Amino acid sequence: MDDFLRLSAATARFTHGAPRAFAFGDGGRLLWFLRSTGPTDASDSLWVLDTATGAETRLADPRELCAEPGELPVAERRLRERIRLVAAGIGSYALSGDGRRAVFALYGRLYAVRADGSGPPEELPAAGPALDPRPDADGTRTAYVTADALYVTPGGRVSPDDGARWGVAEFAAAEELGRARGHWWSPDGVSLLAARVDESALPRRHFTDPAHPELPAEDFAYPEAGGPNAEVQLWVLGPAGERIRLDWDAQAYPYVSDASWESAGEILLTVQDRLQRTVLLLSADPATGRTRELSRTTHPQWVDPMVPGTPARLPDGRMLTAVDTPGGAARALALDGRPLTGDGVQVRAFAGVHDGLLLIEAGLRDPAEQQVLLLDPATGEHTPLADGPGVHAVQASAGTLLLTSADADGIRRTVRTPDGREFTPGDLSQPLPYRVVPVLERVTEHAVPTALVLPRGHVPGRRLPVLLDSYGGPGFQDVSAEPRRWQARQWWADQGFAVVTIDNRGTPYVSPAFTHAVYRGFCDVTLEDQAAALRALGARHPDLDLGRVGVRGWSYGGYLSAMAVLRRPDLFHAAAAGAAPTDFRHYDTAYTERYLGLPQDHPEVYERNCLIPDAPRLTRPLLLVTGLADDNVHPSHTLRLSQALTDAGHPHQLLALPGVTHMTPGGIREKVMALELEFFRRELA
């Protein structure tokens, strides 16, 4: 590997040493966060910043607590995969209701620490390797999961031994629905709301490490498209052993995408039907389990996920939710069902109430940018709090703000107190090696966002092979002003490529209508937009040599890459396809059925979006890459395509990575990039 790839691998793509996982406590006086000691230190410690003084204090150092950490428990490792957590050490923490005490799990051991620094972290007794600990209101008791059972310390097991998993999120919720937890304390710390997950009807998937044949295979429950889902119930577990089940029509609305205590006497939960066309916001009585409908959102294709921070009940009792504006031009906030924002504001998150106004993150001008706005709920008027080119974000508590701004010059974080003082949480990460200002353009009749990165020092008139580096799938935006995502693309450009990134229809943040265009047709819209946008950029930028086009990607981007050379060899001349879901009949329920429907109802849709039948058509060089420990896109997806190509007599390359998961941790991604570079230099020469 060259210097950039080594540096990227050693710094976890320039994230080690950067503060993350911020949370306010003690009425906004404390700002908790995680951070390692520097750019090559992978092990995060727990810190707190006192906004009264600006002083930072390290409260828990994982190396002092676990000198020999050993292996992560399997449940913890899989949870980290679901939430895409790559840091070592303290991966996450949870605060008590007053925000003065935190608990965390460290390699299965359970710890609690106070913000006042009155003593070192205290190890709490646990019945086994602890997962997802959560303290109660004052931090005197902690709930946690071990061996699929819910416990409280001090105390003991609080969930019944009935063969189900308690206190956890099932695969579909954690991977696709945005809910990674499965238990919640009531605000008074008396009762627990807990998920009961029955996965007995699900098929099991297996994988093994061929580099270590002495180890047994792992298996896990996986909800495959068209097959059974986990059965999810919600129960209130009382202090005297009483158990109350929340009552809603779980047959019609099997997905629980959100749950929270609104008060000691009310629980809010969001449930969805299987195809996610109807979403209900319910109010539940924890004493009886009875629910009543607060709002109902429907869409003929699918209802987009709720805007983060919603649903939320405002101090005056009114309910804040998310809706699409008429025609699907924008995602809007709605107050008791009445839209507050119009087509010109693409709302992305609700961050709370500040000075009597609603604090939101939204896009105003270009989908690559994000602003922080103050929205007047009475008039719908908004004023910028953090504006300008770049991506701006905010967290708030009791008048104290944490503002984050990211642009070509880097990432800056500012804590702003109600009395006007400002602090900057220390950032110990590696400075970004490149200042990248991609050329951002909207092309084709669909105004598709695109980005172009050229080699530094490029001389106009020099023709360049093109490298298409796109994701292209629902749920992720590639073309963004966030600077870290352009570092690797600048490296690729400096190897002699014009690097093009395209957010085709189906990707988020342009408009709901733009996103919904992939309904019942991943392949058609994705490939059509990528091809049309690439040709439009070639017409605008004559240095792009469209006679030499490579395409690379991972996950859905791997699907796009393989599909490009299989179905459009006239435009795409070589592809490196990583972790590609080659047959969506074998991908998970919540994601796949949202967009393609049920395979038994629409077999032709699944057949059209499957790449296996295209194997006999391969005429271009294709490099397939898969991690053999990938529990998201199982390696069988890549291996089935490889087998079909072999059966058809078409040479191709296969790179199978033992022990590697979907996240490609530990510098694996950079090692794969070095091999891809050799591949593209050879095939596009």
Side-chain angles (χ1 to χ4, degrees), residues 307-327:
V307 166
T310 66
R313 196 183 295 281
L314 299 183
D316 60 9
R318 292 182 293 173
M319 185 64 68
L320 197 66
T321 56
V323 298
D324 293 349
T325 61

Side-chain angles (χ1 to χ4, degrees), residues 319-373:
M319 185 64 68
L320 197 66
T321 56
V323 298
D324 293 349
T325 61
R331 195 73 166 142
L333 283 183
L335 193 57
D336 285 344
R338 176 179 63 86
L340 294 176
T341 53
D343 291 349
V345 181
Q346 298 285 349
V347 177
R348 300 186 184 182
F350 168 63
V353 178
H354 182 70
D355 291 338
L357 303 175
L358 306 182
L359 193 60
I360 64 172
E361 298 169 355
L364 294 178
R365 299 177 295 270
D366 190 306
E369 298 181 350
Q370 177 175 287
Q371 288 74 40
V372 175
L373 309 176

Side-chain angles (χ1 to χ4, degrees), residues 173-232:
E175 181 68 37
E176 309 296 1
L177 302 177
R179 177 176 61 81
R181 60 186 295 188
H183 61 279
W184 304 260
W185 281 105
S186 60
D188 56 10
V190 172
S191 300
L192 275 165
L193 175 66
R196 179 188 184 275
V197 177
D198 183 355
E199 296 175 330
S200 59
L202 270 62
R204 309 293 297 185
R205 285 199 171 176
H206 302 75
F207 53 74
T208 187
D209 186 349
H212 293 280
E214 74 279 6
L215 298 178
E218 285 192 23
D219 73 303
F220 58 98
Y222 188 84
E224 191 168 270
N229 267 310
E231 179 189 343
V232 180

Side-chain angles (χ1 to χ4, degrees), residues 438-453:
V439 179
L440 304 180
E441 298 177 277
R442 307 282 296 276
V443 300
T444 79
E445 71 273 21
H446 300 298
V448 169
T450 68
L452 171 64
V453 179

Side-chain angles (χ1 to χ4, degrees), residues 32-307:
W32 299 74
F33 60 94
L34 297 172
R35 185 182 63 205
S36 70
T37 61
T40 59
D41 179 12
S43 188
D44 280 352
S45 297
L46 179 60
W47 295 76
V48 70
L49 184 151
D50 189 334
T51 64
T53 64
E56 294 181 1
T57 303
R58 182 161 62 178
L59 298 174
D61 182 344
R63 279 162 293 231
E64 295 178 356
L65 300 173
C66 288
E68 298 180 3
E71 294 290 329
L72 280 174
V74 172
E76 174 76 11
R77 172 164 50 82
R78 289 183 178 164
L79 177 60
R80 288 180 176 224
E81 278 288 319
R82 301 284 74 76
I83 62 177
R84 306 300 190 262
L85 177 61
V86 298
I90 302 173
S92 61
Y93 63 94
L95 298 182
S96 58
D98 57 14
R100 299 172 186 170
R101 181 178 167 103
V103 297
F104 56 90
L106 185 61
Y107 303 103
R109 295 162 66 180
L110 186 59
Y111 293 91
V113 65
R114 297 184 181 276
D116 59 11
S118 57
E122 172 191 5
E123 184 168 3
L124 304 177
L131 173 72
D132 195 22
R134 304 277 174 174
D136 66 3
D138 61 6
T140 57
R141 294 191 298 162
T142 297
Y144 65 96
V145 175
T146 188
D148 292 334
L150 186 60
Y151 286 77
V152 171
T153 184
R157 181 168 179 157
V158 295
S159 62
D161 184 6
D162 57 3
R165 304 177 67 209
W166 281 84
V168 297
E170 74 280 14
F171 182 98
E175 181 68 37
E176 309 296 1
L177 302 177
R179 177 176 61 81
R181 60 186 295 188
H183 61 279
W184 304 260
W185 281 105
S186 60
D188 56 10
V190 172
S191 300
L192 275 165
L193 175 66
R196 179 188 184 275
V197 177
D198 183 355
E199 296 175 330
S200 59
L202 270 62
R204 309 293 297 185
R205 285 199 171 176
H206 302 75
F207 53 74
T208 187
D209 186 349
H212 293 280
E214 74 279 6
L215 298 178
E218 285 192 23
D219 73 303
F220 58 98
Y222 188 84
E224 191 168 270
N229 267 310
E231 179 189 343
V232 180
Q233 302 170 358
L234 291 178
W235 290 75
V236 177
L237 308 180
E242 61 270 30
R243 298 174 187 148
I244 305 295
R245 180 180 172 181
L246 301 192
D247 182 21
W248 78 92
D249 187 352
Q251 290 296 317
Y253 303 98
Y255 289 138
V256 180
S257 54
D258 189 55
S260 63
W261 290 83
E262 180 62 26
S263 67
E266 183 186 25
I267 295 169
L268 295 180
L269 61 148
T270 304
V271 298
Q272 308 181 38
D273 67 332
R274 177 152 179 164
L275 295 181
Q276 299 161 64
R277 293 172 175 168
T278 302
V279 176
L280 304 185
L281 174 60
L282 304 176
S283 173
D285 181 351
T288 65
R290 288 194 292 269
T291 61
R292 60 186 177 91
E293 184 178 316
L294 298 178
S295 70
R296 175 183 296 251
T297 306
T298 62
H299 194 283
Q301 296 167 333
W302 76 84
V303 177
D304 281 325
M306 276 294 192
V307 166

